[in-house]
Amino acid sequence: MSEVDGNGIPAPARAPIAGAPTGAALEDALAGRFLRYSAIPSQSDASRTELPTSEGQRELARLLATELTAAGAADVHLSETSVLTARVPATDPSAPAIGFCTHLDTVDSGLSPVVRARAVDYDGVSDGGDLIQDPATGARIRLTEHPELARYAGQRILVSDGTSVLGADDKAGVSTVMQLACDLLTADAAGEGEPHGDVVLSFVPDEEIGLRGVRTMDLGRFDVAWAYTLDSCEIGEVVEETFNAATCTLRVAGVATHPMSGKGVLVNPILIASELIARLDPLETPEHTEDREGYVWVHDVVGDQSTCTLTISIRDHDRAGYEEKKNRLRRIVDEVAAAHPRAGFALEVDDVYANLADARTPGNEHALTHVRTALERLGIAPIPLAMRGGTDGSWLSTQGIFTPNVFTGAHNFHSAAELLPLPSFAASYRVCRELVRLAAGR
């Protein structure tokens, strides 16, 4: 089968990279890894505080550690929080060390934590162009709801059975990095590999619930000049910006009493919380914003007659706009508190991650330049993004490791309609292989 990029365009003629699988063999290798890893339920659990927040993440990390050790990786280390790090040793000590970071957990979207993935040959014609996820139940991804399907007619596509997310976020990234590492190690051991610097890997838990896992990483074990996350969607996407993100927790303490004697005594914390919500801008929410517009999102309310707790997410790409939103929330809390002197108020504002673009400098922007060069070499049109979210790279970038984000090839993250075309999956691998070459000056 001829080599094409994920958009179905023939890739430019290039000499094959030593030790790298191509065509259907590459797709089969990646799909095999994905099916193996996705079969381990590893949904993170925001209600838990210990890391990892699910045993499946620990199980997956152990499996990856075993596979890397068997492949000959160096410095394989699994921390108490299930952060796995390892290194593909340099064959050119003069080349800079680069890193790849992916996350072990899948998101809790209210669907089944158990993923039953399968590869489907999608012809784009049968069943009205719908993609059948499970013939037994009739679960399908409808072409009318997901017109992007039409681009992938004639391709093999990974999907769930419709009861869960697929988990390409981020097991596609995990699979790609594992395949890359094992191929490099195999080629190097056979004396067939190209010169490269250290390639350092990290697999972290609990990214989906506030980047909790990456914050526990021993950065001494991730000693790289720059890095990449593989945590974006369709082929060609390159995340050059992320949100600045804060999680705000407001606790309102009321005064409880029996309602028969409540006049002048009872202070209802739920009504006070409702009053505060009403003072927020109703058009500054996720459902009313797009592109680089930030938002303030009240996404959890838990209350009774004594207390009420609000959880509020603040997001903005622009640092000044981000700080303004946080300060505006503080002012609103102060105003509501002044109107209800008998209630108690406690506001916590936790800065979760920052815009990785703010860490970009003339000294590290070559990390992004290499991505664009890799895409050009492979004939893939770049899709630069100001991501309406964040990645582990958002945090790593604030720690001095500039970490842009590269596509996995998937669509519809966090939903039962998630899909991963295998040619796009393979394109993500080839981009990563080129990034290793470019770092070594090839």
Side-chain angles (χ1 to χ4, degrees), residues 4 17 40 50 68-69 74 87 162 188 195 219 221 242 263 287 302 311 350 352 364 396 406:
V4 298
I17 301 173
I40 300 173
E50 70 277 16
L68 287 168
T69 300
R87 179 170 59 90
D188 292 347
L219 294 181
R221 295 184 179 277
T242 59
K263 185 173 182 179
E287 61 268 37
V302 179
T311 306
D350 178 26
V352 180
N364 63 29
L396 287 170
V406 180

Side-chain angles (χ1 to χ4, degrees), residues 214-231:
V214 72
R215 297 186 190 194
T216 70
M217 184 193 297
D218 178 356
L219 294 181
R221 295 184 179 277
F222 198 64
D223 187 12
V224 297
W226 67 89
Y228 300 97
T229 49
L230 276 70
D231 198 10

Side-chain angles (χ1 to χ4, degrees), residues 122-132 140-144 146-150 153 157:
Y122 176 64
D123 63 16
V125 177
S126 304
D127 301 292
D130 294 349
L131 192 160
I132 304 301
R140 65 184 62 204
I141 302 174
R142 299 183 184 278
L143 180 62
T144 54
H146 299 280
E148 68 276 5
L149 266 175
I157 302 178

Side-chain angles (χ1 to χ4, degrees), residues 309-381:
T309 300
L310 300 181
T311 306
I312 305 170
S313 291
I314 293 179
R315 301 289 188 268
D316 206 302
H317 292 97
D318 178 70
R319 188 76 194 187
Y322 172 65
E323 296 297 338
E324 187 277 331
K325 288 177 174 60
K326 291 194 294 182
N327 289 333
R328 186 177 357 130
L329 177 63
R330 292 185 180 105
R331 288 196 303 271
I332 290 172
V333 171
D334 288 344
E335 291 168 0
V336 174
H340 300 277
R342 296 178 58 235
F345 294 80
L347 176 65
E348 297 175 7
V349 178
D350 178 26
D351 292 305
V352 180
Y353 58 83
N355 187 345
L356 67 83
D358 292 338
R360 182 178 174 183
T361 69
N364 63 29
E365 64 182 356
H366 53 267
L368 269 173
T369 303
H370 285 184
V371 177
R372 298 191 194 98
T373 301
L375 293 175
E376 182 179 1
R377 286 181 175 184
L378 296 168
I380 300 171

Side-chain angles (χ1 to χ4, degrees), residues 51-90:
L51 294 180
T53 61
S54 60
E55 185 57 33
Q57 294 183 78
R58 193 183 305 278
E59 180 183 348
L60 177 58
R62 287 172 177 156
L63 172 61
L64 301 179
T66 299
E67 292 184 359
L68 287 168
T69 300
D75 302 331
V76 178
H77 180 266
L78 185 57
S79 76
E80 290 184 359
T81 60
S82 289
V83 173
L84 173 62
T85 49
R87 179 170 59 90
V88 178

Side-chain angles (χ1 to χ4, degrees), residues 78-235:
L78 185 57
S79 76
E80 290 184 359
T81 60
S82 289
V83 173
L84 173 62
T85 49
R87 179 170 59 90
V88 178
T91 56
D92 177 3
S94 67
I98 66 169
F100 291 94
C101 180
T102 58
H103 63 86
L104 301 165
D105 60 322
T106 56
V107 71
D108 181 359
S109 291
L111 301 170
S112 172
V114 177
V115 176
R116 299 178 182 87
R118 60 192 290 259
V120 176
D121 290 311
Y122 176 64
D123 63 16
V125 177
S126 304
D127 301 292
D130 294 349
L131 192 160
I132 304 301
Q133 297 169 279
D134 186 348
T137 65
R140 65 184 62 204
I141 302 174
R142 299 183 184 278
L143 180 62
T144 54
E145 297 173 0
H146 299 280
E148 68 276 5
L149 266 175
R151 301 183 219 163
Y152 304 109
Q155 297 186 13
R156 282 189 299 163
I157 302 178
L158 288 166
V159 292
S160 75
D161 66 356
T163 65
S164 70
V165 300
L166 174 63
D169 178 12
D170 194 29
K171 289 181 181 175
V174 170
S175 301
T176 295
V177 171
M178 286 293 295
Q179 188 68 40
L180 173 70
C182 291
D183 288 344
L184 289 172
L185 289 163
T186 298
D188 292 347
E192 300 174 351
E194 295 181 330
H196 60 81
D198 279 339
V199 179
V200 186
L201 321 174
S202 66
F203 305 88
V204 302
D206 296 305
E207 185 267 359
E208 297 287 2
I209 52 175
L211 314 187
R212 294 188 195 178
V214 72
R215 297 186 190 194
T216 70
M217 184 193 297
D218 178 356
L219 294 181
R221 295 184 179 277
F222 198 64
D223 187 12
V224 297
W226 67 89
Y228 300 97
T229 49
L230 276 70
D231 198 10
S232 192
C233 298
E234 69 176 286
I235 183 170

